[in-house]
Amino acid sequence: MSVINDLRGTRRTLVFFLVPEFTLLPFSAAVETLRIANRMLGYRAYDWRLCSANGEKVTCSAGIGMEVDTSIAQERKYLGDEKRPNMVLVCSGIDVEAYDNRSVNAWLRETHNRGVALGSLCTGAHILAQAGLLEGRRCAIHWENLPGFAEAFPQAEVYADLYEIDGNIYTCAGGTASLDMMLTLIGEDFGENLVSRICEQQLTDRVRSPHDRQRLPLRARLGVQNAKVLSIIELMESHLAEPLSLVEIAEEADLSRRQVERLFRQEMGRSPARYYLEIRLDRARHLLVQSALPVVEVAVACGFVSASHFSKCYREVYGRSPQQERAGRKLTLASQKPSVAA
């Protein structure tokens, strides 16, 4: 049973809380899905309003300014009257790690304590976790932010799923995954017939499962067809903190070391050791820009035995040191500080 389920014919009110630099696609997909549901039903089953921290316009990552209806101060007052929402959805996007508003965190906790369902689009799970609302909860976040999120909030059960529903907490990975999550909610309220009609309007053939992949399968993403190579890459990606030796990889793949070497040079254009290093460094890069972990801890989390070896490899691949990567990130955030604080 949906947490926003009421008697048929009544209204459900949702609040979309917009964080500066929020991503437009998941937000618009969610709102449009509700709009089409209302049209198919013939009445406004779903109402929504937009909220920002101070009630002022918020600019999304595409540079488009969005006027809002309320501030969090107004929403706190609404919790005690007929304007109380059924759900609050946090909409964020890039640079979410830099957003830290204690008033917003307190409002989200109060909203949750009042029995209002909470959710997030794209990277909004970071803000819910920051408010202390995802400890021991299953949640989803965009794959690009998952490494930093997992390190920052180890008590949250984060998955690379399209969306997760855990009690009255709804989180999705962003992009078109918000469409799937909203269709799931609507289906719980009004059944699959309405969902099918909405899908027809949206030219969508189905509602994807929560556990469908966020990213393209390795075969499509890498343009590799060899099943052995793909299985080895999956094995590497699941052992980044404690890398396997080439001998262990070969044993798991039921191949000889020489066969693994030859396959990788044919399919990937480099040795398996080099490819393994590159994917570990890619994870390190995400941690450097998305978390405050010390460089030495980033190195350990990505399977490097020392910070010096990590720095040497990082500079070789990216042309700059981990410290320079993080310093550049801080400089970028500092230049955006007035917008983030809004």
Side-chain angles (χ1 to χ4, degrees), residues 114-275:
R114 294 288 192 96
V116 176
L118 290 177
S120 65
L121 308 183
C122 196
T123 62
H126 192 283
I127 294 173
L128 294 181
Q130 192 171 256
L133 296 168
L134 292 183
E135 292 187 10
R137 296 275 197 161
R138 298 190 314 275
C139 61
I141 196 168
H142 193 278
W143 64 265
E144 193 174 36
N145 297 79
L146 197 150
F149 180 92
E151 293 291 341
F153 305 106
Q155 300 306 314
E157 298 178 16
V158 64
Y159 297 95
D161 293 338
L162 291 183
Y163 60 98
E164 282 286 346
I165 300 174
D166 189 340
N168 63 348
I169 301 287
Y170 296 69
T171 56
C172 84
T176 56
S178 66
L179 185 154
D180 299 287
M181 188 170 78
M182 299 313 291
L183 285 172
T184 298
L185 290 172
I186 292 167
E188 291 176 348
D189 284 338
F190 294 103
E192 292 306 310
N193 182 54
L194 176 60
V195 170
S196 296
R197 293 170 64 196
I198 296 171
C199 285
E200 288 178 347
Q201 289 291 317
Q202 294 178 319
L203 307 183
T204 303
D205 62 348
R206 66 185 176 95
V207 181
R208 291 175 293 178
S209 163
H211 307 302
D212 278 5
R213 291 174 180 264
Q214 285 188 34
R215 305 181 71 182
L216 289 172
L218 279 173
R219 188 181 301 272
R221 182 158 34 110
L222 301 176
V224 175
Q225 301 301 318
N226 189 289
K228 283 290 187 181
V229 172
L230 292 172
S231 66
I232 291 170
I233 292 174
E234 288 180 347
L235 185 65
M236 289 176 173
E237 290 186 344
S238 64
H239 292 81
L240 297 181
E242 297 181 358
L244 300 173
S245 69
L246 186 53
V247 171
E248 291 172 317
I249 290 171
E251 288 177 353
E252 287 285 342
D254 196 23
L255 296 170
S256 70
R257 176 172 176 163
R258 184 169 296 179
Q259 286 174 313
V260 174
E261 291 271 7
R262 185 169 62 251
L263 276 175
F264 263 75
R265 292 203 178 275
Q266 289 174 347
E267 299 288 340
M268 307 304 296
R270 49 203 178 281
S271 70
R274 178 67 182 188
Y275 185 83

